[in-house]
Amino acid sequence: MPETYRKPTLDKDLDKFATMEEATGLINRGFVTPGLALVFIFLCAIIAAVFVTGQPGAVVIIAAAMIGAYMALNIGANDVANNVGPAVGSQAMTLGVALAIAAVFESAGALIAGGDVVSTISKGIIDPVAVSDPNVFIAAMMAALVSAAMWIHLATWFGAPVSTTHSIVGGVMGAGIAAAGVDAVNWPTMGGIAASWVISPFMGGIIAAAFLAFIKTFIIYQEDKIAAARRWVPVLIAIMIGTFATYLSLKGVKALIKIPLSTALLIGLGAGFVGWLVARPVIARQSRGLENRNQSLRKLFGLPLIFSAALLSFAHGANDVANAVGPLAAIVHTAELGEVAPKVVIPLWVMAVGAVGISLGLLLFGPKLIRMVGNQITKLNPMRAYCVALSAAITVIIASWLGLPVSSTHIAVGAVFGVGFFREWYTERSSRRADYVVRHQINTPGTEAAKGQLAEQRRRKLVRRSHFLQIIAAWVITVPAAAVLSGVLFVVLRAVLV
C-alpha cells in the first residue's frame, strides 16, 4: 500500500493510544489518594513494630496501630472540614491555603496540647469493672475503633459531616453492651450525649444568627457602611479574639494546664481589649478609600477568618485526637501490662499516629466535606462565615460553663444552618431590608420593578433542604449505627482473640 495511504491510519492509531493513556491516567488518579492512605497505615504498623517488638501483645498492638491510623485518617477527612469550610466557602482563603493551615495547626494542637492522659473508656460511657478482663477489653476497644472509623468513612463518602466523638461513643457503647450487657453502660451520660444532638446545633445556629442580625442591622443596612464598619468591625474582632482566647484557655491547652472558667474569662477579656486597640487603626487603614457597598465590607473580615480557622484547627487537634489515640493507647497499655486501667499515659508514637493521620486524612480526603460545609448548604460570604466561626467558639464556652456535652461538628454545621435559615427569615420578613432594596435599586429601573425583584427574592430558599435532611439523618443514626456495628465486630474479634 502506498505511503500516502498509511499515514492517516497511523495517525488514527496514535490518537487512540494517546486517548487510552489519558483515560488510564484519569483512572489511576482515583487510586492515588487511597493508595497513599494505605501506605500511611502500613507505615504506622512498621513504627508500632519498632517500638513493641519483643513485648507482650506485640501483634495486637500492631493491628491496633493500623486501626488507629485508619480512624485518624477518617477524622481528618470528615471533622476538620468544619473548621475551615466556612472560610473557604466565603472565599476568604483558597482550598489549598485552608488545607495547609488546617494540617499544620491540627498537628500542632495534637502534639503540643493533645495531652498525655486520656480516659480509656471514652468519657465514662461504660463501667471499667464490667470489662476488666484484658482480652475482652482489647476486643471491645478494637471493635469501637473499627466501627467508628467505618461509620465516619461511610458518612464522608455520602458527604455528611458527622461527629467523630459521637461515633466513638457509639462504638464503645455497642462493644460494652455486647461484652457485659446493657447494665455496663452509663445511661445518664448517654442521655446527655443524646440531648447534645439537639442542643449543639440549636445553640450554634442561634448565636450565629444573632451575630448576623447585628451585622445586618448596624453595618450592612446603614447609609454609610464604611463609617459603621470602622465603628463596629473592631468591636467584632475584639469579641472574636476574646472568645478564642477563652476557648483555647479552656479546651486547647487543658492538657498542659488546667484553667478555671473564671480565669479563662479574664484572659479572654484582656485579650479582647488588646485586640480592639490593635484592630481600630488597622480597620481604619483598610477601609480608607473603599466604596460604600457590601462588597467592600467583605474585605474587612478576611484576615479574622484566616486566624479563626487556624485557632479552631489547633483546638480541634488538641481535643479530638483523643478519639483516635485514646482507645489505641488503652489497647497498648492493656496488651503490654495485662491490666485494664481507667487512665493511661499515651506514648509519643501513638500521639504522632493520631496527629499525622488527621492531617493526612484532611489533605487526601478533606476537600469533599470542606466544599459541602462551605458552599453547598448555603451561600457564605466573609461576614456570614465570621458569624459561624465565632458561634462555634462561644457555644463551646457556654456548654463548658453549663456542663453540657456538645459536638464541635454539630455546633459548626448548626451555625451554618442558622445563618442560612436566618437569611431566609430576614429576606422574607424584614421591612428594613425591603425599604433598603427599594431605595437603592440601581440595576432595575423603577420602584415597581424593584418591588417585583424583592418579592422574587423573598420566595427563594437559601438553605438546601436535601442537604439539611441528609445531615440531620446522619446525626440521628450516628450513635446507634456505630453501636450496632461495634457489637457485631466485638463478637467476631472476641472469637478470634480467644
Side-chain angles (χ1 to χ4, degrees), residues 14 35 52 111 122 136 160 223 247 310 363 397-398 411 443 448 493:
L14 291 175
V52 303
L111 293 173
S122 187
V136 173
E223 291 296 329
Y247 177 83
L363 294 173
I397 293 171
I398 295 175
I411 291 170
N443 295 325
E448 292 302 321
L493 288 173

Side-chain angles (χ1 to χ4, degrees), residues 323-407:
N323 291 331
V325 302
L328 173 57
I331 293 170
V332 172
H333 175 90
T334 306
E336 288 180 347
L337 302 181
E339 64 177 13
V340 178
K343 290 187 177 182
V344 297
V345 175
I346 299 181
L348 182 61
W349 71 267
V350 172
M351 186 63 73
V353 166
V356 176
I358 289 175
S359 298
L360 186 62
L362 169 68
L363 294 173
L364 295 179
F365 307 106
K368 181 175 182 177
L369 265 295
I370 289 175
R371 294 189 185 98
M372 163 65 79
V373 175
N375 295 324
Q376 297 177 16
I377 296 175
T378 190
K379 185 178 180 181
L380 295 175
N381 60 27
M383 290 170 282
R384 298 168 197 153
Y386 162 87
C387 296
V388 171
L390 187 56
S391 171
I394 291 177
T395 304
V396 169
I397 293 171
I398 295 175
S400 298
W401 175 51
L402 296 176
L404 298 173
V406 292
S407 163

Side-chain angles (χ1 to χ4, degrees), residues 179-356:
V182 294
D183 292 336
V185 178
N186 187 334
W187 291 109
T189 300
M190 286 303 305
I193 292 171
S196 75
W197 296 341
V198 177
I199 295 170
S200 298
F202 185 77
M203 288 178 64
I206 290 293
I207 294 173
F211 274 103
L212 184 58
F214 179 90
I215 291 173
K216 284 181 176 292
T217 301
F218 291 98
I219 300 178
I220 293 177
Y221 291 126
Q222 293 293 313
E223 291 296 329
D224 191 341
K225 304 175 190 294
I226 304 304
R230 291 193 186 107
R231 182 184 307 113
W232 290 112
V233 171
V235 174
L236 292 170
I237 291 176
I239 294 173
M240 184 197 76
I241 292 173
T243 300
F244 276 106
T246 306
Y247 177 83
L248 291 174
S249 298
L250 287 174
K251 307 295 276 187
V253 296
K254 66 179 182 180
L256 301 177
I257 182 174
K258 299 292 184 181
I259 299 177
L261 178 61
S262 57
T263 304
L265 290 173
L266 289 175
I267 293 172
L269 186 63
F273 180 71
V274 173
W276 178 74
L277 292 177
V278 173
R280 286 186 67 195
V282 172
I283 295 300
R285 185 172 60 253
Q286 286 182 337
S287 62
R288 194 174 299 131
L290 292 179
E291 297 181 33
N292 188 34
R293 60 194 187 106
N294 291 348
Q295 190 66 35
S296 300
L297 298 176
R298 298 174 184 178
K299 299 177 182 178
L300 304 178
F301 287 86
L303 191 59
L305 270 177
I306 295 174
F307 281 109
S308 69
L311 292 172
L312 280 174
S313 296
F314 181 90
H316 180 272
N319 286 278
D320 281 32
V321 68
N323 291 331
V325 302
L328 173 57
I331 293 170
V332 172
H333 175 90
T334 306
E336 288 180 347
L337 302 181
E339 64 177 13
V340 178
K343 290 187 177 182
V344 297
V345 175
I346 299 181
L348 182 61
W349 71 267
V350 172
M351 186 63 73
V353 166
V356 176

Side-chain angles (χ1 to χ4, degrees), residues 38-223:
L38 285 173
V39 169
F40 170 72
I41 291 172
F42 283 111
L43 281 176
C44 290
I46 294 171
I47 292 171
V50 171
F51 282 96
V52 303
T53 297
Q55 298 181 13
V59 175
V60 172
I61 294 173
I62 293 170
M66 298 176 71
I67 298 170
Y70 175 55
M71 176 65 170
L73 287 169
N74 282 287
I75 291 175
N78 192 293
D79 216 19
V80 183
N82 309 311
N83 303 326
V84 297
V88 173
S90 67
Q91 300 181 350
M93 66 176 75
T94 64
L95 179 60
V97 171
L99 289 172
I101 288 176
V104 170
F105 282 88
E106 283 280 338
S107 299
L111 293 173
I112 296 172
D116 58 353
V117 178
V118 173
S119 174
T120 59
I121 312 297
S122 187
K123 307 180 189 301
I125 299 303
I126 59 175
D127 183 4
V129 177
V131 285
S132 57
D133 181 87
N135 290 330
V136 173
F137 179 77
I138 288 173
M141 290 298 103
M142 279 191 169
L145 266 179
V146 174
S147 64
M150 292 177 66
W151 170 249
I152 298 168
H153 191 154
L154 182 65
T156 304
W157 187 71
F158 277 108
V162 296
S163 170
T164 56
T165 302
H166 287 181
S167 301
I168 194 66
V169 163
V172 172
M173 184 186 76
I177 292 174
V182 294
D183 292 336
V185 178
N186 187 334
W187 291 109
T189 300
M190 286 303 305
I193 292 171
S196 75
W197 296 341
V198 177
I199 295 170
S200 298
F202 185 77
M203 288 178 64
I206 290 293
I207 294 173
F211 274 103
L212 184 58
F214 179 90
I215 291 173
K216 284 181 176 292
T217 301
F218 291 98
I219 300 178
I220 293 177
Y221 291 126
Q222 293 293 313
E223 291 296 329

Side-chain angles (χ1 to χ4, degrees), residues 453-469:
Q453 184 170 337
L454 178 63
E456 175 61 28
Q457 290 178 354
R458 284 175 167 171
R459 287 193 292 269
R460 292 167 56 201
K461 300 298 182 185
L462 302 179
V463 177
R464 289 190 179 180
R465 297 314 195 258
S466 59
H467 290 333
F468 174 74
L469 296 175

